[in-house]
Amino acid sequence: MKHLLSVTDLDAAAATALLDTADRLKQALLGREVRKLPTLRGRTVITMFYEDSTRTRVSFEVAGKWMSADTVNVSAKGSSVGKGESLRDTALTLAAMGADCVIVRHPASGAAHRLAAWADRDRAATGTDTCIVNAGDGTHEHPTQALLDAATLRDRLGSVAGRRIGIVGDVLHSRVARSNVFLLATLGADVVLVAPPTLLPVGVQQWPCRISHEIDAELSTLDAVMTLRVQAERMRGAFFPSAREYAIGYGLSDERAAALPQHAVVLHPGPMVRGMEIAPSVADSARSAILAQVRNGVHVRMAVLYHLLAGAPE
Ligand code: NCD
């Protein structure tokens, strides 16, 4: 694996290998007073975030630090991006400073792919070797989020294969939904997208999943339900009448959570808008794995850095 740009770069064996490495790293750190492995000592990992983030950015930084990499964070605000520097020049500058890995979040779909193409060209021309990780590009993909969701489902349900997972809400603007549909299908899950027609992207019929507009018709058959944030910052125009009507139509209320099977798990990638897509009582309930997702995120990102920078273990 040279870069991690899309979950479609991963077949079932490669995805499972990453999840297994994440499990091993988690075990290796369990109960340790000093959470530090020497694996990536001397390696430089740079996060480059052109969009707001709490968990993804911090999680990559913590993952790098727990493996002894030198981690540096660049955000668009406060960098030369504000002076008009292009994505390419910023990335080449970071590569010239010896970045072994650049982790990028950008509002443009495809930004990480562009960076990877430039990095490969630069590798041939200058001998520098920088791998690129997509930490969310526009409405396109967020591969490490899908991997940490799969890790959490494996923990909670014992397996992903054969499980029915519902992904509910603003699929149109969600890179999390797209990455999850493709990764979970690769891992053998049966995925159903539940959304109003206005919040589904063109071409969704070609995705490896089923589509439903009726949350209440799906709940009793789900092993897990993942609610998505309504991504208002990406919306140009009105996609539903009001927040209240959205919550009535698609929000995961107490009544809806009660209709899930006893063992079913509730996921949310965060940040949550409590009371809109999910009731606070459901987010805080025993079936919620939302904080487990955050914890697994660090181990999954350690695994990604490990496979990219040190090579996948045999
Ligand atoms: C998501 C994102 O940024 O795509 N957040 C995250 O990384 N955990 C989802 C969102 O912003 O709603």
Side-chain angles (χ1 to χ4, degrees), residues 55-56 105 142 145 175-176 229 231 269-271:
R55 60 218 93 217
T56 306
R105 167 167 290 190
H142 193 350
Q145 179 69 41
R175 51 200 177 205
V176 174
R229 185 173 64 88
Q231 290 160 66

Side-chain angles (χ1 to χ4, degrees), residues 51-57 105 135-136 138 141-142 145 148 173-176 228-231 233-234 268-272 277 301:
E51 269 187 13
D52 297 344
S53 171
T54 302
R55 60 218 93 217
T56 306
R57 196 195 60 69
R105 167 167 290 190
E141 277 232 35
H142 193 350
Q145 179 69 41
L148 74 88
H173 301 100
S174 176
R175 51 200 177 205
V176 174
L228 301 169
R229 185 173 64 88
V230 171
Q231 290 160 66
E233 76 278 16
R234 300 188 195 286
H268 191 303
M272 286 186 273
E277 69 266 9
R301 289 173 176 125

Side-chain angles (χ1 to χ4, degrees), residues 190-220:
D190 170 15
V191 184
V192 54
L193 288 175
V194 188
T198 52
L199 288 177
L200 286 167
V202 173
V204 72
Q205 293 76 13
Q206 273 80 55
W207 293 15
C209 61
R210 192 164 60 76
I211 313 283
S212 163
H213 307 304
E214 282 296 331
I215 187 171
D216 295 310
E218 307 295 335
L219 291 169
S220 67

Side-chain angles (χ1 to χ4, degrees), residues 89-234:
D89 285 330
T90 306
L92 288 177
T93 301
L94 300 180
M97 275 188 270
D100 294 297
C101 186
V102 171
I103 293 151
V104 63
R105 167 167 290 190
H106 199 280
S109 300
H113 286 76
R114 297 289 303 171
L115 272 186
W118 291 323
D120 289 341
R121 211 169 60 188
D122 202 42
R123 174 181 290 129
T126 66
T128 55
D129 201 5
T130 308
C131 61
I132 307 293
V133 177
N134 182 1
D137 62 326
T139 58
H140 179 228
E141 277 232 35
H142 193 350
T144 57
Q145 179 69 41
L147 283 163
L148 74 88
D149 292 335
T152 308
L153 290 170
R154 241 174 45 152
D155 279 357
R156 287 288 183 109
L157 300 173
S159 68
V160 173
R163 300 299 187 163
R164 180 171 292 178
I165 319 293
I167 302 179
V168 181
D170 182 5
V171 177
L172 177 63
H173 301 100
S174 176
R175 51 200 177 205
V176 174
R178 184 192 303 261
S179 287
N180 262 293
V181 166
F182 284 87
L183 182 69
L184 293 174
T186 297
L187 292 173
D190 170 15
V191 184
V192 54
L193 288 175
V194 188
T198 52
L199 288 177
L200 286 167
V202 173
V204 72
Q205 293 76 13
Q206 273 80 55
W207 293 15
C209 61
R210 192 164 60 76
I211 313 283
S212 163
H213 307 304
E214 282 296 331
I215 187 171
D216 295 310
E218 307 295 335
L219 291 169
S220 67
T221 68
L222 298 178
D223 296 299
V225 57
M226 179 186 302
T227 52
L228 301 169
R229 185 173 64 88
V230 171
Q231 290 160 66
E233 76 278 16
R234 300 188 195 286

